[in-house]
Amino acid sequence: MASAWQPPYWSHPPASTDTWTLDEIKQGNIIASYSLNEILTKNHPSRRGAAVTFGRIDDPSAVDIVTAHESCSRLHARISFDKSGTPWLRDLGSGNGTFVNRRRLPKEACGKVEIPEGAAQASKAGSRGVILYPGDAIQFGASTRLYCLEGPPEFERGAVKLKKEQITAEVSQHDEDEREKNENENEGGCSWGISDDIPDDDDDTAQQKPIRDSAYNSLPTMESFFSSTSSKYSIPSSLHQLYKTYQTKSNKLQAIQNESSRIIQKENMGVELSEGQTKQLEKNQDRIDNLEKDILDLKERIQDGIHDIVHGGDGSNKRMKRKKSQEEDGGRARDDDDVDDFYDRTTDSDSKRKRNSSDGAVETEQSLTANWK
């Protein structure tokens, strides 16, 4: 019976500042939109703030969102949020399954009874269901209706991945410091008479690139460098500010890319995009291009700063040399254009015409006849 089901013990309502909605899509058109926050505050007292339920029966005491299809079970699935605000989807033992992005939930994420607190299965994968991310599309049974989840940017798949990478970088900081320590100790050996700080040879820029790359490959990652609590390096506030700008732009880029992905995903599902959504995709692409350029420039500047702190030196000097090299490359390109004129037969005749026109003499009928003869 549907009434036998009880919400999970670990569920919490999401923060009031986190807005979660679900768009119901039929044949490419949005026919309904549900506020999960509102449902959780107004649903039946037996599950208030704990779960949003889906099923075939139109019974407010058991089901919050009715899935009008004969293949759906009376009580089909639920979405619950944990204390961090992350949504979890669990199939409540339906006969025809629940799907996320057209993939059926594994058996570990299915069951008519929630795993009780303290049970051995509570720590196993799938005991709470599967994590949902903004942009995910849910289907119930054989119904073709899609339920597209929308939520805060910080819960998007890319943002969660970036957060995990930052945590991993902090955990591996100790290993990074040990590796740098060993490298610094090894630098006391034979140097073969070559110093890493030898100025670049302007006449052989191409050969100097591998040396610069190898020096930069030995640097700690930006995440571990700035998250380190060690007093080994003195990091200026200007470099800290550059890194904050880099992080801000990176997060902004990820958010824009996720927004475009959600719009494209809806289009792939057969939803006809509005004129505003089409324009938004074009606008997003321009912003993505500009942000990628800014982020690349910031990354180079930050790496120069880290290099100066770790190995010593003046990063501005390296930037000036790169700029000078680019200018010289442009100068060489112009020189090559001049050389190519040697093989251009039109150049000779053009120059002759210019010389003739610069003599100042006016051509007459007699002079033209004389020249022709």
Side-chain angles (χ1 to χ4, degrees):
M1 294 291 293
S3 59
W5 173 81
Q6 294 296 324
Y9 69 90
W10 46 263
S11 58
H12 292 264
S16 58
T17 54
D18 295 339
T19 302
W20 292 92
T21 59
L22 204 63
D23 293 333
E24 184 177 353
I25 301 172
K26 179 182 179 181
Q27 296 179 348
N29 298 310
I30 299 176
I31 61 173
S33 185
Y34 307 95
S35 169
L36 301 189
N37 302 71
E38 185 175 343
I39 291 174
L40 287 168
T41 57
K42 296 182 178 180
N43 59 7
H44 194 268
S46 64
R47 61 183 184 284
R48 186 160 296 162
V52 176
T53 53
F54 304 82
R56 189 180 76 248
I57 58 172
D58 190 3
D59 180 3
S61 67
V63 172
D64 296 309
I65 298 177
V66 178
T67 55
H69 197 274
E70 59 185 7
S71 68
C72 296
S73 298
R74 292 167 58 83
L75 184 59
H76 197 103
R78 62 88 177 138
I79 293 177
S80 291
F81 293 82
D82 62 21
K83 62 181 179 180
S84 68
T86 301
W88 294 79
L89 173 67
R90 181 176 173 86
D91 184 294
L92 299 179
S94 70
N96 295 301
T98 303
F99 302 80
V100 177
N101 300 330
R102 307 195 184 279
R103 296 181 61 184
R104 185 166 184 159
L105 264 63
K107 62 180 182 179
E108 293 83 1
C110 305
K112 293 183 179 180
V113 181
E114 298 285 350
I115 306 299
E117 185 176 6
Q121 300 94 329
S123 60
K124 292 185 178 180
S127 62
R128 295 186 175 188
V130 297
I131 296 178
L132 293 174
Y133 300 91
D136 283 348
I138 308 168
Q139 287 178 277
F140 303 103
S143 175
T144 58
R145 293 193 184 189
L146 299 172
Y147 295 82
C148 190
L149 182 67
E150 299 290 345
E154 59 267 26
F155 287 91
E156 291 176 350
R157 206 175 299 267
V160 173
K161 181 180 179 182
L162 179 62
K163 186 176 181 180
K164 287 182 179 179
E165 289 176 350
Q166 291 174 345
I167 294 174
T168 302
E170 292 176 3
V171 172
S172 62
Q173 177 60 36
H174 175 73
D175 295 336
E176 191 75 35
D177 290 340
E178 287 296 320
R179 182 182 64 80
E180 291 176 18
K181 180 180 178 181
N182 292 335
E183 287 181 355
N184 292 334
E185 290 175 352
N186 292 335
E187 286 178 359
C190 182
S191 67
W192 298 97
I194 300 175
S195 170
D196 291 337
D197 296 327
I198 293 178
D200 294 342
D201 187 352
D202 294 336
D203 296 331
D204 196 11
T205 306
Q207 293 183 6
Q208 293 297 329
K209 287 183 179 180
I211 296 177
R212 181 183 185 276
D213 292 342
S214 62
Y216 276 67
N217 288 338
S218 65
L219 295 176
T221 63
M222 289 192 294
E223 291 78 9
S224 62
F225 182 79
F226 287 97
S227 63
S228 175
T229 58
S230 172
S231 58
K232 182 178 179 180
Y233 302 121
S234 176
I235 307 175
S237 58
S238 57
L239 193 57
H240 270 296
Q241 186 59 46
L242 271 183
Y243 182 61
K244 288 181 180 179
T245 305
Y246 170 84
Q247 286 183 309
T248 301
K249 286 183 178 288
S250 297
N251 292 335
K252 188 174 183 180
L253 173 64
Q254 186 66 62
I256 296 173
Q257 289 174 332
N258 288 336
E259 181 185 31
S260 295
S261 297
R262 290 201 301 270
I263 296 174
I264 294 172
Q265 186 177 12
K266 287 185 177 180
E267 184 179 28
N268 293 337
M269 292 175 183
V271 180
E272 185 177 354
L273 298 184
S274 64
E275 183 180 353
Q277 288 174 322
T278 303
K279 289 182 178 179
Q280 188 64 42
L281 278 177
E282 296 175 356
K283 181 181 177 181
N284 283 357
Q285 190 55 53
D286 291 337
R287 296 170 69 189
I288 288 172
D289 293 339
N290 292 331
L291 280 171
E292 285 178 341
K293 292 177 182 177
D294 292 344
I295 290 170
L296 180 61
D297 178 65
L298 284 168
K299 185 176 181 180
E300 289 184 352
R301 293 168 63 188
I302 293 170
Q303 285 179 334
D304 282 345
I306 295 175
H307 181 276
D308 295 341
I309 293 172
V310 175
H311 297 291
D314 185 2
S316 60
N317 188 35
K318 286 188 275 293
R319 287 192 291 275
M320 287 296 292
K321 287 181 178 179
R322 283 204 299 272
K323 183 177 179 181
K324 182 179 180 181
S325 175
Q326 292 171 357
E327 292 176 350
E328 288 180 350
D329 289 341
R332 282 193 291 270
R334 288 189 293 272
D335 292 340
D336 291 341
D337 291 339
D338 295 337
V339 174
D340 288 340
D341 290 343
F342 177 79
Y343 299 97
D344 188 353
R345 296 183 179 182
T346 61
T347 304
D348 186 57
S349 57
D350 288 342
S351 59
K352 286 181 179 178
R353 281 195 296 271
K354 290 177 182 177
R355 285 196 298 270
N356 290 338
S357 61
S358 62
D359 290 341
V362 179
E363 295 283 4
T364 62
E365 182 178 356
Q366 291 78 8
S367 63
L368 287 172
T369 303
N371 290 336
W372 177 257
K373 291 179 179 181

